[in-house]
mmCIF file of all heavy atoms in Angstrom:
data_model
loop_
_atom_site.group_PDB
_atom_site.id
_atom_site.type_symbol
_atom_site.label_atom_id
_atom_site.label_comp_id
_atom_site.label_asym_id
_atom_site.label_seq_id
_atom_site.Cartn_x
_atom_site.Cartn_y
_atom_site.Cartn_z
ATOM 1 N N GLN U 343 16.796 26.992 38.929
ATOM 2 C CA GLN U 343 16.991 27.504 37.653
ATOM 3 C C GLN U 343 16.274 26.687 36.447
ATOM 4 O O GLN U 343 15.738 27.202 35.549
ATOM 5 C CB GLN U 343 18.487 27.567 37.208
ATOM 6 C CG GLN U 343 19.283 28.575 38.109
ATOM 7 C CD GLN U 343 18.931 29.959 37.661
ATOM 8 O OE1 GLN U 343 18.647 30.266 36.495
ATOM 9 N NE2 GLN U 343 19.029 30.975 38.589
ATOM 10 N N LEU U 344 16.227 25.266 36.661
ATOM 11 C CA LEU U 344 15.599 24.405 35.830
ATOM 12 C C LEU U 344 14.087 24.652 35.816
ATOM 13 O O LEU U 344 13.575 24.598 34.672
ATOM 14 C CB LEU U 344 15.925 22.980 36.165
ATOM 15 C CG LEU U 344 15.988 22.009 34.931
ATOM 16 C CD1 LEU U 344 17.052 22.310 34.022
ATOM 17 C CD2 LEU U 344 16.152 20.552 35.604
ATOM 18 N N ALA U 345 13.634 25.035 36.937
ATOM 19 C CA ALA U 345 12.166 25.263 36.933
ATOM 20 C C ALA U 345 11.705 26.427 36.228
ATOM 21 O O ALA U 345 10.516 26.541 35.732
ATOM 22 C CB ALA U 345 11.714 25.461 38.436
ATOM 23 N N GLN U 346 12.706 27.382 35.745
ATOM 24 C CA GLN U 346 12.386 28.576 35.072
ATOM 25 C C GLN U 346 12.476 28.257 33.537
ATOM 26 O O GLN U 346 12.437 29.213 32.805
ATOM 27 C CB GLN U 346 13.369 29.739 35.441
ATOM 28 C CG GLN U 346 13.345 30.062 36.928
ATOM 29 C CD GLN U 346 11.982 30.456 37.363
ATOM 30 O OE1 GLN U 346 11.152 31.310 36.699
ATOM 31 N NE2 GLN U 346 11.518 29.839 38.547
ATOM 32 N N MET U 347 12.735 27.084 33.068
ATOM 33 C CA MET U 347 12.825 26.791 31.704
ATOM 34 C C MET U 347 11.628 25.939 31.252
ATOM 35 O O MET U 347 11.647 24.726 31.321
ATOM 36 C CB MET U 347 14.111 25.958 31.443
ATOM 37 C CG MET U 347 15.380 26.658 31.858
ATOM 38 S SD MET U 347 16.899 25.808 31.498
ATOM 39 C CE MET U 347 18.197 26.915 32.144
ATOM 40 N N PRO U 348 10.747 26.521 30.618
ATOM 41 C CA PRO U 348 9.499 25.816 30.138
ATOM 42 C C PRO U 348 9.734 24.858 29.098
ATOM 43 O O PRO U 348 8.873 23.957 28.956
ATOM 44 C CB PRO U 348 8.623 26.997 29.595
ATOM 45 C CG PRO U 348 9.521 28.096 29.324
ATOM 46 C CD PRO U 348 10.561 28.139 30.259
ATOM 47 N N GLU U 349 10.881 24.979 28.382
ATOM 48 C CA GLU U 349 11.119 24.035 27.339
ATOM 49 C C GLU U 349 11.580 22.634 27.793
ATOM 50 O O GLU U 349 11.708 21.579 27.178
ATOM 51 C CB GLU U 349 12.073 24.485 26.341
ATOM 52 C CG GLU U 349 13.371 24.915 26.934
ATOM 53 C CD GLU U 349 13.576 26.279 27.423
ATOM 54 O OE1 GLU U 349 12.636 26.760 28.130
ATOM 55 O OE2 GLU U 349 14.467 26.972 27.048
ATOM 56 N N VAL U 350 11.862 22.508 29.103
ATOM 57 C CA VAL U 350 12.352 21.271 29.753
ATOM 58 C C VAL U 350 11.154 20.345 29.977
ATOM 59 O O VAL U 350 10.205 20.810 30.769
ATOM 60 C CB VAL U 350 13.126 21.545 31.050
ATOM 61 C CG1 VAL U 350 13.400 20.199 31.733
ATOM 62 C CG2 VAL U 350 14.468 22.237 30.689
ATOM 63 N N GLU U 351 11.041 19.304 29.332
ATOM 64 C CA GLU U 351 9.920 18.334 29.506
ATOM 65 C C GLU U 351 10.067 17.377 30.706
ATOM 66 O O GLU U 351 9.185 16.911 31.273
ATOM 67 C CB GLU U 351 9.779 17.528 28.169
ATOM 68 C CG GLU U 351 8.527 16.619 28.186
ATOM 69 C CD GLU U 351 8.321 15.824 26.937
ATOM 70 O OE1 GLU U 351 9.334 15.323 26.358
ATOM 71 O OE2 GLU U 351 7.229 15.850 26.343
ATOM 72 N N TYR U 352 11.395 17.074 30.884
ATOM 73 C CA TYR U 352 11.738 15.983 31.902
ATOM 74 C C TYR U 352 13.135 16.168 32.419
ATOM 75 O O TYR U 352 13.996 16.572 31.544
ATOM 76 C CB TYR U 352 11.487 14.572 31.124
ATOM 77 C CG TYR U 352 11.880 13.349 32.073
ATOM 78 C CD1 TYR U 352 10.961 13.027 33.011
ATOM 79 C CD2 TYR U 352 13.063 12.746 31.866
ATOM 80 C CE1 TYR U 352 11.297 11.837 33.873
ATOM 81 C CE2 TYR U 352 13.301 11.655 32.738
ATOM 82 C CZ TYR U 352 12.503 11.282 33.711
ATOM 83 O OH TYR U 352 12.754 10.049 34.489
ATOM 84 N N CYS U 353 13.189 15.904 33.654
ATOM 85 C CA CYS U 353 14.638 15.858 34.381
ATOM 86 C C CYS U 353 14.740 14.751 35.324
ATOM 87 O O CYS U 353 13.866 14.522 36.089
ATOM 88 C CB CYS U 353 14.871 17.230 34.904
ATOM 89 S SG CYS U 353 16.572 17.323 35.719
ATOM 90 N N ALA U 354 15.764 14.003 35.291
ATOM 91 C CA ALA U 354 16.113 12.952 36.129
ATOM 92 C C ALA U 354 17.429 12.883 36.728
ATOM 93 O O ALA U 354 18.450 13.300 35.990
ATOM 94 C CB ALA U 354 15.747 11.652 35.540
ATOM 95 N N ILE U 355 17.574 12.692 37.973
ATOM 96 C CA ILE U 355 18.892 12.400 38.556
ATOM 97 C C ILE U 355 19.392 11.019 38.144
ATOM 98 O O ILE U 355 18.642 10.036 38.258
ATOM 99 C CB ILE U 355 18.850 12.472 40.095
ATOM 100 C CG1 ILE U 355 18.298 13.854 40.594
ATOM 101 C CG2 ILE U 355 20.342 12.252 40.673
ATOM 102 C CD1 ILE U 355 18.001 13.975 41.995
ATOM 103 N N THR U 356 20.662 10.996 37.767
ATOM 104 C CA THR U 356 21.159 9.705 37.151
ATOM 105 C C THR U 356 22.438 9.275 37.815
ATOM 106 O O THR U 356 23.106 9.951 38.509
ATOM 107 C CB THR U 356 21.455 9.854 35.570
ATOM 108 O OG1 THR U 356 22.399 10.680 35.493
ATOM 109 C CG2 THR U 356 20.128 10.218 34.911
#
Side-chain angles (χ1 to χ4, degrees):
Q343 292 290 326
L344 206 64
Q346 302 301 316
M347 299 181 180
E349 59 268 52
V350 173
E351 182 178 49
Y352 176 78
C353 177
I355 304 170
T356 64

